[in-house]
Amino acid sequence: MREILGILGPLVRRGSRRRLRREVRPARLDAAVTFAVEWGWPVLPGAGLRATTRPAAGPACVCPDPECAVPGAHPYEPGLLAATTDERMIRWWWTRRPEAPVLLATGGGAPCAVSLPAVAGARALTALDAMGMRLGPVVATPTRWSILVAPYGLERLGELLYVKDSVPSSLRFHSEGGYLLLPPSVAGNGQVRWERAPLAGSARPWLPDVEAVVDALVEASTSTPGGGSRLTY
């Protein structure tokens, strides 16, 4: 019996890993279709990661830049302008690259976002909750949190920030011409998840106005020790 178990053990483990891969891979396609078709958010596959011979160096981006600051978490092929809500195109992309990260092309008529370091993000959400502020989806990575907001233009954003004494460099604005990594993607700095998930069954997630949240985000980024300004998503 021990001999049989010894033979079957590795086979069972390999079978479990295959099932897990089958479950994980369609998850990105399913998410991309939901974002694009049900919610009208234009998406595209991100660069993704590649295997490396130096595991200690961390994951490597598939792009040709050996010093890529955001491994896997940016457009590469196709470029950002290819973002679409067309289901056939999305299914073609993720059928060919099932593990590709899902990128939202922000701005225009699509959601925008404001992102900040994770510690400051947690502080900002606590402050906004205390104010009774209604929030929409919040995306989290191990290093940064991003609050999705209604579309805004650069002119309006400039007016909002002009009256501030200062705006921390760790606070970033994802508007027209920008992008944001969405769950359940995995990039160089780890898993992307919902800190505040969209309401189940909603036709399209509700989004707050950027003006409603920017004060709390600036304050949280300014007052958090070691908020940092690393270009990490």
Side-chain angles (χ1 to χ4, degrees):
M1 179 62 72
R2 289 182 180 176
E3 288 80 2
I4 295 174
L5 291 175
I7 295 171
L8 292 179
L11 296 177
V12 170
R13 287 193 291 272
R14 283 199 292 272
S16 299
R17 287 196 293 269
R18 291 193 191 99
R19 284 194 298 274
L20 180 60
R21 285 196 293 269
R22 285 197 297 269
E23 292 169 0
V24 167
R25 288 177 177 178
R28 291 167 177 76
L29 170 59
D30 291 345
V33 169
T34 296
F35 301 147
V37 179
E38 297 184 21
W39 298 353
W41 295 3
V43 298
L44 74 159
L49 302 172
R50 61 177 172 81
T52 175
T53 57
R54 296 184 301 159
C61 188
V62 301
C63 78
D65 182 2
E67 303 297 327
C68 181
V70 286
H74 63 87
Y76 177 47
E77 293 180 350
L80 185 61
L81 292 179
T84 184
T85 58
D86 182 80
E87 182 174 357
R88 290 176 300 177
M89 189 75 250
I90 289 166
R91 289 191 179 278
W92 186 79
W93 278 334
W94 270 275
T95 298
R96 293 177 66 245
R97 297 177 54 210
E99 296 183 358
V102 182
L103 291 181
L104 165 68
T106 55
C112 292
V114 185
S115 70
L116 63 171
V119 174
R123 178 176 292 190
L125 258 62
T126 299
L128 290 166
D129 287 341
M131 294 162 55
M133 181 69 64
R134 181 186 177 191
L135 292 176
V138 178
V139 174
T141 73
T143 56
R144 295 188 72 80
W145 287 15
S146 302
I147 296 179
L148 271 66
V149 296
Y152 60 80
L154 293 179
E155 182 178 352
R156 183 165 178 229
L157 178 63
E159 293 172 352
L160 289 175
L161 300 181
Y162 179 76
V163 298
K164 307 295 180 191
D165 292 333
S166 64
V167 178
S169 61
S170 58
L171 193 63
R172 299 196 185 94
F173 299 89
H174 309 257
S175 58
E176 190 159 5
Y179 57 89
L180 184 70
L181 201 62
L182 294 178
S185 303
V186 176
N189 65 334
Q191 179 71 50
V192 184
R193 62 179 177 83
W194 295 113
E195 175 62 27
R196 298 282 175 90
L199 294 177
S202 58
R204 181 177 292 191
W206 180 87
L207 301 170
D209 189 271
V210 66
E211 188 173 0
V213 301
V214 72
D215 286 346
L217 301 186
V218 170
E219 173 61 28
S221 298
T222 303
S223 60
T224 301
S229 59
R230 292 178 58 203
L231 183 61
T232 317
Y233 297 100

